[in-house]
């Protein structure tokens, strides 16, 4: 929540949690929605920069649905861009949308960010995103939402 970013003790709180769980900052990515950032861009930018300076990843979630601007991508210290599902779902029906997704992927890579495509609902979309160079994907095709306990139990069962 952007409201959490406005708390002066947020960085220390996140660092304390990482230490408690013995997770390196580089393994944690904090997501903030693009529209949420616009509520107080200057303060959010400062807090995100502090988090990034301490090694935490920063993801801009739902990119493309609100105040999308390449100027914000230039300004914000993001490490990851999450393309909103509305673009991914429409990609197979609309060549312009597919080109926009490709441009978002290429532009993000040029800025040193990794890219996550949200809303991957089928193998065709996953295959197309792979050919476009998308780094990660999420959506029902890859897995349904589940309680955290079920996720942890499933991860423990996977071979390392």
């Amino acid at each position: 929540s952007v409201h959490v970013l406005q708390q002066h003790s947020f960085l220390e709180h996140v660092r304390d949690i990482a230490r408690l769980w013995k997770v390196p900052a580089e393994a944690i990515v904090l997501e903030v929605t693009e529209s949420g950032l616009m509520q107080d861009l200057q303060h959010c930018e400062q807090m995100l920069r502090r988090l990034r300076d301490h090694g935490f990843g920063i993801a801009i979630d739902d990119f493309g649905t609100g105040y999308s601007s390449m100027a914000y991508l230039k300004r914000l210290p993001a490490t990851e861009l999450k393309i909103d599902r509305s673009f991914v779902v429409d990609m197979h029906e609309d060549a312009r949308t597919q080109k926009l997704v490709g441009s978002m992927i290429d532009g993000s890579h040029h800025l040193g960010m990794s890219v996550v495509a949200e809303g991957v609902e089928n193998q065709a979309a996953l295959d197309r995103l792979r050919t476009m160079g998308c780094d990660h994907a999420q959506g029902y095709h890859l897995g349904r939402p589940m309680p955290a306990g079920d996720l942890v139990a499933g991860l423990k069962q996977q071979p390392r």
Side-chain angles (χ1 to χ4, degrees), residues 2 4 14-15 30 42-43 52 69 71 93 95 136 141-142 151:
V2 73
V4 173
V14 174
R15 290 174 65 195
L30 302 162
Q42 184 174 2
H43 181 80
R52 174 91 186 266
S69 168
E93 295 176 4
H136 307 283
H141 178 66
L142 301 166
L151 174 66

Side-chain angles (χ1 to χ4, degrees), residues 54-73:
H54 281 85
F56 295 99
I58 307 296
I60 300 175
D61 194 21
D62 299 334
F63 186 78
T65 60
Y67 302 93
S68 298
S69 168
M70 296 310 262
Y72 295 127
L73 291 184

Side-chain angles (χ1 to χ4, degrees), residues 19-63:
R19 277 193 293 271
L20 175 70
W21 290 97
K22 297 180 176 96
V23 177
E26 297 77 24
I28 299 173
V29 178
L30 302 162
E31 288 186 16
V32 62
T33 60
E34 174 197 4
S35 58
L37 288 168
M38 298 310 114
Q39 293 177 23
D40 187 354
L41 183 60
Q42 184 174 2
H43 181 80
C44 288
E45 179 183 3
Q46 291 171 356
M47 178 58 76
L48 294 176
R49 195 163 306 285
R50 288 179 61 210
L51 288 160
R52 174 91 186 266
D53 289 347
H54 281 85
F56 295 99
I58 307 296
I60 300 175
D61 194 21
D62 299 334
F63 186 78

Side-chain angles (χ1 to χ4, degrees), residues 140 142-155 158:
Y140 287 162
L142 301 166
R144 298 275 178 175
M146 66 179 72
D150 293 350
L151 174 66
V152 171
L155 291 173
Q158 291 185 357

Side-chain angles (χ1 to χ4, degrees), residues 101-148:
V101 170
S103 294
M104 287 182 219
I105 293 168
D106 291 343
S108 297
H109 287 163
H110 286 295
L111 292 172
M113 291 185 278
S114 64
V115 180
V116 178
E118 300 177 316
V120 176
E121 307 291 328
N122 55 55
Q123 188 64 44
L126 183 60
D127 292 342
R128 183 66 192 130
L129 288 162
R130 279 185 180 143
T131 64
M132 297 168 92
C134 189
D135 303 295
H136 307 283
Q138 67 183 62
Y140 287 162
H141 178 66
L142 301 166
R144 298 275 178 175
M146 66 179 72

